[in-house]
């Protein structure tokens, strides 16, 4: 099948035309630093570029869209109709930065290609297999039920791609492997993949939990948040800005660009050196924890902008983990291919 994948982030739009039989990209277009108000126009422009660039192959058989949050409702790839769009919209409060722009992209793409099937692939769906003990938070049941509090996990499309790529590279079925998948990009998460299923993952109810990220602190004592609220200086808006945009590597060093942080650390900047040590230590703790969860680990895989490109950071994350005896692999992130394959599987 010839499938257009639209991967709409909070400020970027990645897209590709994929031949699913050959598992290859015919072409891709990326737009960075997008303002969400201009997203619909950008989608229209990208679709036109893709159509022109792949004209000799005819029109696409389907369009696949990445949706960050599928809540409890969407546990697998789903063909989009008006009802599905409404249901995704109702989940927007769970991913306010991501679901609304993705929905705008779907609406625009449907108006350009009204006759072609559109499919939604969800970042949370891969983690639908989490066992209760990994999924639940130790809060009173009525509070959990009233607010839908549980671990959903994210980056599922990327972790699924890592699983398939590792299995293909080793020529061992995923069902026979225990993998710790480290997606280290601007956002970052680790997933324990046991016998082809996600059994734990570091992001939680929202993408704030877990690793130190570009602008998010990851794991925090919730008492810190209480303290800030009680101080009177932080309302929900200020907390949102602090936790989502001003913390993590940006909070520690003033930038979320890992290349710059590495350069500054190498030039002797103590603050950057300490920030990198904290970053790697947190990854290492999760790898160790997930090895314990699975009773061992066969493969530790790295993906994402940092995970793929920085041997120094990979080495720091793996320090003292030799005892695990795991193979270490680097996987080039390809969410668009994974999305297209899931859509093709649904439609055929
Ligand atoms: P996103 O999560 O937004 O898709 P990416 O996966 O592209 O982001 O990762 C972006 C991060 O990868 C940035 O912090 C960037 O500095 C970092 N990065 C890219 N190339 C390198 C490199 N060669 N060395 C270290 N970090 C890198």
């Amino acid at each position: 099948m010839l499938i257009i994948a639209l991967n709409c982030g909070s400020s970027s739009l990645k897209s590709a035309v994929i031949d699913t039989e050959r598992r290859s990209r015919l072409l891709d277009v990326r737009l960075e630093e997008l303002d969400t108000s201009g997203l619909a126009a950008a989608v229209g422009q990208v679709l036109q570029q893709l159509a022109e660039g792949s004209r000799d192959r005819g029109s696409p058989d389907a369009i696949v869209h990445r949706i960050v949050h599928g809540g409890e409702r969407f546990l697998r790839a789903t063909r989009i109709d008006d009802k599905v769009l409404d249901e995704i919209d109702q989940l927007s409060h769970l991913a306010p930065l991501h679901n609304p722009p993705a929905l705008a992209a779907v609406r625009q793409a449907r108006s350009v290609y009204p006759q072609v099937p559109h499919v939604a692939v969800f970042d949370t769906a891969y983690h639908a297999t989490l066992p209760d003990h990994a999924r639940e938070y130790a809060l009173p049941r009525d509070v959990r039920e009233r607010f839908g509090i549980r671990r959903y996990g994210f980056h599922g499309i990327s972790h699924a791609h890592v699983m398939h790529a590792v299995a293909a590279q080793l020529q061992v079925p995923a069902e026979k492997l225990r993998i710790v998948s480290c997606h280290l990009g601007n956002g970052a998460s680790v997933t324990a993949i046991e016998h082809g299923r996600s059994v734990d993952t570091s992001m939680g109810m929202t993408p704030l939990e877990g690793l130190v990220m570009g602008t998010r602190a990851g794991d925090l004592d919730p008492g810190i948040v209480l303290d800030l609220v009680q101080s009177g200086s932080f309302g929900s808006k200020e907390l949102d800005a602090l936790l989502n945009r001003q913390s993590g590597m940006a909070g520690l060093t003033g930038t979320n660009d890992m290349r710059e942080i590495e350069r500054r650390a190498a030039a002797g900047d103590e603050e950057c050196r300490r920030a990198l040590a904290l970053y790697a230590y947190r990854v290492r703790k999760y790898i160790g924890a997930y090895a314990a969860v699975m009773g061992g680990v066969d493969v530790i895989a790295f993906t994402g902008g940092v995970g793929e490109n920085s041997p120094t950071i990979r080495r720091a994350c793996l320090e003292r983990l030799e005892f695990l005896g795991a193979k270490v692999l680097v996987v080039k992130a390809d969410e668009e291919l994974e999305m297209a394959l899931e859509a093709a599987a649904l439609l055929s």
Side-chain angles (χ1 to χ4, degrees), residues 14 183-187 256-259 262 304-306 309-310:
K14 299 178 200 164
H183 176 111
L184 309 180
N186 231 326
N256 62 345
D257 184 343
M258 278 294 210
R259 278 165 294 200
E262 283 200 74
V306 180
N309 296 307
S310 175

Side-chain angles (χ1 to χ4, degrees), residues 98-112:
H98 292 93
N99 273 20
L103 275 172
V106 174
R107 293 203 169 94
Q108 178 66 24
R110 282 179 96 206
S111 75
V112 178

Side-chain angles (χ1 to χ4, degrees), residues 44-95:
Q45 179 201 325
V46 161
L47 286 174
Q48 194 178 349
Q49 277 185 39
L50 293 175
E52 279 164 16
S54 58
R55 196 169 19 199
D56 53 327
R57 292 290 305 266
S59 51
D61 299 305
I63 319 281
V64 60
H65 301 266
R66 171 179 169 221
I67 308 286
V68 164
H69 218 307
E72 307 243 354
R73 164 69 182 82
F74 296 104
L75 306 182
R76 55 189 61 83
T78 304
R79 177 104 178 237
I80 294 173
D81 58 21
D82 291 340
K83 180 161 167 285
V84 165
L85 274 189
D86 277 349
E87 289 176 321
I88 296 173
D89 204 9
Q90 283 160 26
L91 299 168
S92 285
H93 67 283
L94 289 168

Side-chain angles (χ1 to χ4, degrees), residues 30-324:
R30 284 172 172 240
L31 299 177
E32 307 280 342
E33 287 173 41
L34 269 182
D35 183 350
T36 43
S37 60
L39 187 68
V43 168
Q45 179 201 325
V46 161
L47 286 174
Q48 194 178 349
Q49 277 185 39
L50 293 175
E52 279 164 16
S54 58
R55 196 169 19 199
D56 53 327
R57 292 290 305 266
S59 51
D61 299 305
I63 319 281
V64 60
H65 301 266
R66 171 179 169 221
I67 308 286
V68 164
H69 218 307
E72 307 243 354
R73 164 69 182 82
F74 296 104
L75 306 182
R76 55 189 61 83
T78 304
R79 177 104 178 237
I80 294 173
D81 58 21
D82 291 340
K83 180 161 167 285
V84 165
L85 274 189
D86 277 349
E87 289 176 321
I88 296 173
D89 204 9
Q90 283 160 26
L91 299 168
S92 285
H93 67 283
L94 289 168
L97 288 180
H98 292 93
N99 273 20
L103 275 172
V106 174
R107 293 203 169 94
Q108 178 66 24
R110 282 179 96 206
S111 75
V112 178
Y113 286 108
Q115 311 300 346
V116 168
H118 289 250
V119 174
V121 178
F122 300 89
D123 257 320
T124 46
Y126 183 63
H127 303 296
T129 52
L130 291 183
D132 286 348
H133 54 249
R135 194 177 62 194
E136 299 295 355
Y137 292 101
L139 291 168
R141 179 151 40 123
D142 58 326
V143 175
R144 278 182 281 137
E145 285 177 355
R146 194 159 138 223
F147 296 97
I149 296 173
R150 48 160 288 189
R151 179 180 311 284
Y152 288 101
F154 299 89
H155 286 147
I157 299 164
S158 177
H159 290 299
H161 172 67
V162 166
M163 176 180 85
H164 292 133
V166 165
Q169 191 170 334
L170 298 181
Q171 298 192 316
V172 175
E175 291 67 33
K176 297 215 158 118
L177 291 169
R178 293 164 301 180
I179 304 169
V180 175
S181 169
C182 307
H183 176 111
L184 309 180
N186 231 326
S189 70
V190 189
T191 295
I193 305 170
E194 186 176 9
H195 309 320
R197 297 155 74 90
S198 166
V199 294
D200 204 351
T201 191
S202 60
M203 282 179 169
M205 158 117 171
T206 74
L208 277 178
E209 194 179 342
L211 300 178
V212 177
M213 310 181 210
T215 61
R216 290 169 247 165
D219 293 338
L220 275 181
D221 173 357
I224 296 171
V225 179
L226 267 183
D227 223 46
L228 293 175
V229 170
Q230 279 160 359
S231 76
S233 316
F234 286 84
S236 69
K237 237 171 85 189
E238 290 77 18
L239 277 175
D240 177 37
L242 177 78
L243 298 174
N244 275 308
R245 292 191 291 282
Q246 298 162 356
S247 299
M249 297 308 274
L252 293 169
T253 69
T255 175
N256 62 345
D257 184 343
M258 278 294 210
R259 278 165 294 200
E260 185 184 336
I261 297 170
E262 283 200 74
R263 266 196 301 275
R264 277 164 42 188
D269 183 322
E270 259 310 296
E271 203 169 56
C272 289
R273 210 189 50 73
R274 279 203 298 264
L276 285 172
L278 196 168
Y279 179 96
Y281 178 70
R282 187 79 58 86
V283 176
R284 178 157 24 118
K285 277 211 293 192
Y286 269 99
I287 296 173
Y290 288 170
V293 160
M294 298 188 289
V297 49
D298 303 307
V299 179
I300 300 169
F302 289 92
T303 193
V306 180
E308 289 166 41
N309 296 307
S310 175
T312 320
I313 292 178
R314 286 199 301 271
R315 209 174 307 121
C317 295
L318 293 168
E319 222 178 280
R320 311 189 82 177
L321 292 181
E322 299 82 2
F323 75 96
L324 291 173

